[in-house]
Amino acid sequence: MRDFLKNFLTSFICFSSILFCSFQAQASNGLDADLLLNMSIEEILATKITSVAKKAQNIKEISSAVYVITQDDIRRSGALTIPDILRMAPGVHVARIDGNKWSVSIRGFGDIFANDLLVMIDGRSIYNQLFAGVYWDVQDLVTEDIERVEVIRGPGASVWGANAVNGVINIITKAAKDTQGGLISAGYGSETNGFGSVRYGGKIGNDHYYRIYAKAYQQDEFKLQSGGDAFDDKHHEQTGFKLDLATDSDDPITIQGDFYSGVNDVLVRTDSLSPLQFGEKAGTHEDVRGGNIHAHWNHHFSSTSKTSTQIYYDYNYRSHSAIAQVMHNLDVDFAHNFELNDWNEVIWGLHYRFSADDLDGSFGVTVEPGQRETHLYSMFLQDEMSFFDDQLKFTAGIKLLHNDYSGFEYQPSARALWRLNDKQSVWASFSRAVRTPGRFEHEGAIKNIRGGFPVPTVAQIHGNNEFRSEVVYAYELGYRAVFDDHLFFDLALFYNEYDHS
């Protein structure tokens, strides 16, 4: 009887949470659910996305393999984590490694340290300079506050720079204006022991809006094949805010921030030169904490000319038994797009990134020197031209950058889209993209103890100061067709050549 009451209560809480979230999502957006579900293919393809060229474009006008996960998709899926949300995008490979670790990649190369993918939240890169990848266990948001997730399969380096080799993911949250009022969401499960979030949005004056939120998440440990505990549970707390100022003016400003802390349990192999202790595993705790402050300013000179400036700082701390990490990043990005005439639009920009870290290694993992500061400078230029009454669009661009590991890099691209008619289009592209070395590839070392009798051996892998950037030459060809209001066909073919991978 006790188990029945527990299961009934759990189901009731989950159902109530889902029902409340569903109602809140509709109320916040001011949209009727039937309107969303009855949108035609043409209306969906008219969705504006910004992650391809740092400007708003319709999906059907983009010469890239693009997919958009909407808030309605997220709400109906019941996904609780960002990696689970990304499972909905075709071509994105998501694998759960254990209770608190994920592998997310595009077009192969899946690994916990996958580093050929640029991931952003509201345009803020969540790149980690130690291995040039993403720690997915600390990336969290109130899922009801996500407006959409833009996924670009293939290189985007001519605009976004290093590491946008196999794809770009930009997670875009809702404007504070669209999240007015309160929201409470909570749930309980057998593996996800508990999750909950509280959010409130309000208005200041005529055109200033804000929201604040707090969220907590508890994941139970998995089971090993032997039946024992995997010692991989986690708990995570996060709070944050978003402030949209002067939303009705030509100079809107957004200021936002997130702050988190948590504990991951990890099962690690103990390093020992004793044959009797070789291969033993022990559980340990990994403390994680960090935060970010992000400001974004748009300025409109006219209907055909505007600038976008963003600056953010983020801090990350991780106390893994193999290597403790303290990391600071300061990033400044500027872009200006304007129309030269009716058929020619130009966008150019400048970017600077400062990174500083303090690493404390162990017997098995070391990085020398333990402290380092690095600088990255870049600029890009892209020109989009339209011909024959917009039937043919041609885009050419190049990104030039300099980093402290591999020096000067260049990343050109050329794209073309031909509209066969109102329902069909063909596109093709060529890109050269670069993944710059991470800190560990350049200056790290791993010692691995191998068992043996009577004396074990120690194998070592060292980073290389002459490490060269990984380069991909990507050739893409695509075809889109709208057959009727309910059937859409999208084909993307690609051929990649990798050097120094």
Side-chain angles (χ1 to χ4, degrees), residues 308-329:
S308 173
T309 305
Q310 75 168 13
I311 179 171
Y312 65 83
Y313 163 78
D314 63 45
Y315 163 81
N316 296 280
Y317 168 81
R318 184 174 293 260
S319 67
H320 194 280
S321 60
I323 182 168
Q325 313 164 33
V326 178
M327 298 189 174
H328 305 267
N329 292 298

Side-chain angles (χ1 to χ4, degrees), residues 305-438:
S305 177
K306 69 176 182 177
T307 61
S308 173
T309 305
Q310 75 168 13
I311 179 171
Y312 65 83
Y313 163 78
D314 63 45
Y315 163 81
N316 296 280
Y317 168 81
R318 184 174 293 260
S319 67
H320 194 280
S321 60
I323 182 168
Q325 313 164 33
V326 178
M327 298 189 174
H328 305 267
N329 292 298
L330 177 66
D331 194 283
V332 182
D333 188 85
F334 170 83
H336 177 209
N337 68 290
F338 59 94
E339 294 182 7
L340 287 176
N341 46 51
D342 293 339
W343 56 272
N344 196 345
E345 184 174 359
V346 175
I347 179 170
W348 67 278
L350 303 171
H351 175 236
Y352 169 71
R353 184 181 183 93
F354 168 77
S355 300
D357 58 47
D358 187 352
L359 307 175
D360 185 9
S362 62
F363 172 81
V365 179
T366 57
V367 179
E368 293 294 339
Q371 296 179 336
R372 187 170 176 85
E373 297 179 353
T374 59
H375 305 265
L376 185 147
Y377 311 86
S378 69
M379 65 171 294
F380 79 93
L381 175 65
Q382 181 168 285
D383 190 1
E384 180 181 291
M385 294 162 280
S386 301
F387 305 98
F388 311 115
D389 295 328
D390 291 339
Q391 292 297 109
L392 176 64
K393 289 182 178 292
F394 178 76
T395 304
I398 188 168
K399 182 97 171 183
L400 306 175
L401 66 86
H402 184 277
N403 68 86
D404 290 348
Y405 293 121
S406 61
F408 174 79
E409 305 285 359
Y410 68 97
Q411 300 177 98
S413 71
R415 298 180 177 275
L417 182 140
W418 180 24
R419 297 179 59 185
L420 303 176
N421 50 50
D422 292 339
K423 300 292 186 179
Q424 300 180 77
S425 61
V426 177
W427 61 269
S429 72
F430 165 77
S431 303
R432 181 187 189 272
V434 170
R435 182 189 67 81
T436 58

